[in-house]
Amino acid sequence: MTVIQDQRLLPDDEFRGGWQAIKIPDEVRERLTAQVALSIRIRSAFSFEIMPIHGLIVLAGPPGTGKTTLAGGLADRVAGALDTKAQFIAIDPHALTGAALGKSQREVSKLFDQTIPELAAQDLCFVLLDEVETLAVDRQQLSLDANPVDVHRATDAVLAGLDALTRRNSNVILIATTNYPDAVDPAFMSRADHVEVIGLPDLAARREIITDVLTTLSREWPPIRELLADVEHFASRSEGLDGRRLRKTIVSAMAASIDIAQDPAKLGREHILRAISRQTEDTTGAKPKAVA
Ligand SMILES: Nc1ncnc2c1ncn2[C@@H]1O[C@H](COP(=O)(O)OP(=O)(O)OP(=O)(O)O)[C@@H](O)[C@H]1O
Ligand SMILES: [Mg+2]
């Protein structure tokens, strides 16, 4: 398994599209962009000893709320705002957590001491640590009986690696995502310059998501456009669904019958409402353990 999952130069059209596709309040977008720009600015002006800025931003929140998509979009947005050459690298944490004793620790050290610095030799470089709870496991929650010491050491290696990388490469900005901020080692979280909790989409966001999906579908099947009149209704009924689930739900409403599946232009308001209520009933009482 390869550790580098994605590597690209910024600006990137796909990332720009992703940044726009995720419906979150404008203030969150602005805060994230400003935070990263500030981290870059401070680190270029002061030494780490004077301003301990790690260049680490954490996006935490339930599954399907757009964290991974926002990470790429944020990198693209900041590179655009600063009008500078930049690179984006995504790390697959699962590729680092091997079974062999001592392997994780060695792989993690290599990642921070060698792989990232080599790839990020110059220019601004964004590094995505997706699902970081697999990498920086909370050591306090590990029972040494049940869990290999290896996991403990891997977290130690992440922290040491992060500190060394931060001091040596002030051009690197790390963006970490997690569904389980409570399972991430507090020492990792405390190194973050900023933690942004990305919540479930609110009414306004759900309205935008549904409008987006219906508008896209109506390009292929124009009668679907009429359903836009009911967006408010769909949005108010879909509270509790994450962005990914909501998009899927609207699309899967077309599976109401074989007839509609074959001719989606026949999709009606009642099919969407039924699909939504099936999903919201499903999620009641089955809330993910992640941040609500
Ligand atoms: N707020 C939102 N607005 C619009 N679309 C959204 C939103 N949140 C999620 N989505 C949709 O869900 C898809 C998945 O998002 P993404 O993979 O970035 O979520 P995630 O938070 O990283 O999920 P996970 O925690 O499961 O990895 C996006 O491509 C998008 O289509
Ligand atoms: Mg993700």
Side-chain angles (χ1 to χ4, degrees):
M1 245 201 290
T2 157
V3 179
I4 307 296
Q5 209 169 32
D6 187 8
Q7 184 179 11
R8 55 179 96 186
L9 292 175
L10 303 176
D12 180 273
D13 286 347
E14 189 190 338
F15 281 174
R16 183 161 355 113
W19 181 247
Q20 281 151 5
I22 302 299
K23 313 302 178 193
I24 48 165
D26 284 343
E27 61 184 82
V28 177
R29 255 179 239 282
E30 211 167 307
R31 184 160 61 231
L32 285 171
T33 314
Q35 265 297 335
V36 176
L38 178 70
S39 292
I40 295 170
R41 186 74 192 87
I42 300 239
R43 291 168 84 219
S44 72
F46 301 101
S47 76
F48 184 78
E49 282 65 31
I50 292 170
M51 293 279 175
I53 301 291
H54 280 82
L56 169 65
I57 302 284
V58 177
L59 304 179
T65 49
K67 300 178 298 296
T68 302
T69 313
L70 283 173
L74 178 60
D76 182 73
R77 183 77 198 85
V78 172
L82 301 182
D83 193 21
T84 178
K85 270 206 267 179
Q87 206 193 158
F88 177 89
I89 298 167
I91 306 297
D92 177 9
H94 302 284
L96 292 167
T97 47
L101 200 66
K103 179 169 179 275
S104 307
Q105 184 196 357
R106 276 199 307 276
E107 295 289 311
V108 167
S109 297
K110 189 173 150 208
L111 173 71
F112 285 99
D113 299 343
Q114 199 182 318
T115 316
I116 295 177
E118 272 171 17
L119 290 171
Q122 52 198 285
D123 300 335
L124 181 58
C125 183
F126 295 91
V127 178
L128 170 62
L129 301 174
D130 214 6
E131 302 175 8
V132 78
E133 67 277 357
T134 50
L135 207 58
V137 180
D138 185 357
R139 294 161 299 178
Q140 295 276 328
Q141 292 180 31
L142 286 177
S143 127
L144 286 181
D145 300 335
N147 291 282
V149 180
D150 199 34
V151 180
H152 205 285
R153 292 207 181 122
T155 298
D156 293 343
V158 169
L159 297 172
L162 188 64
D163 284 341
L165 178 72
T166 295
R167 279 164 203 271
R168 280 194 309 252
N169 296 66
S170 63
N171 60 322
V172 172
I173 292 287
L174 297 154
I175 307 177
T177 75
T178 181
N179 291 335
Y180 303 101
D182 294 342
V184 178
D185 198 275
F188 181 89
M189 295 301 274
S190 94
R191 279 163 171 75
D193 304 331
H194 178 71
V195 177
E196 185 73 45
V197 176
I198 308 290
L200 294 173
D202 63 9
L203 181 67
R206 297 198 302 278
R207 206 184 281 138
E208 283 188 63
I209 295 171
I210 296 166
T211 302
D212 201 38
V213 177
L214 290 176
T215 307
T216 306
L217 292 174
S218 72
R219 281 190 208 117
E220 195 70 25
W221 300 287
I224 288 183
R225 181 157 282 281
E226 287 168 29
L227 296 171
L228 286 168
D230 290 307
V231 164
E232 193 60 42
H233 199 168
F234 301 148
S236 65
R237 293 286 191 92
S238 53
E239 186 170 4
L241 299 187
D242 63 70
R244 179 195 284 138
R245 178 58 45 207
L246 183 54
R247 282 186 187 273
K248 279 184 194 287
T249 301
I250 305 296
V251 175
S252 69
M254 298 192 296
S257 69
I258 294 177
D259 193 28
I260 299 171
Q262 284 183 328
D263 182 8
K266 292 180 182 159
L267 181 69
R269 172 179 190 274
E270 66 285 5
H271 305 122
I272 295 186
L273 287 174
R274 215 176 303 140
I276 290 174
S277 66
R278 244 195 328 265
Q279 287 300 326
T280 49
E281 277 156 28
D282 267 8
T283 50
T284 349
K287 281 230 162 92
K289 280 188 220 106
V291 265

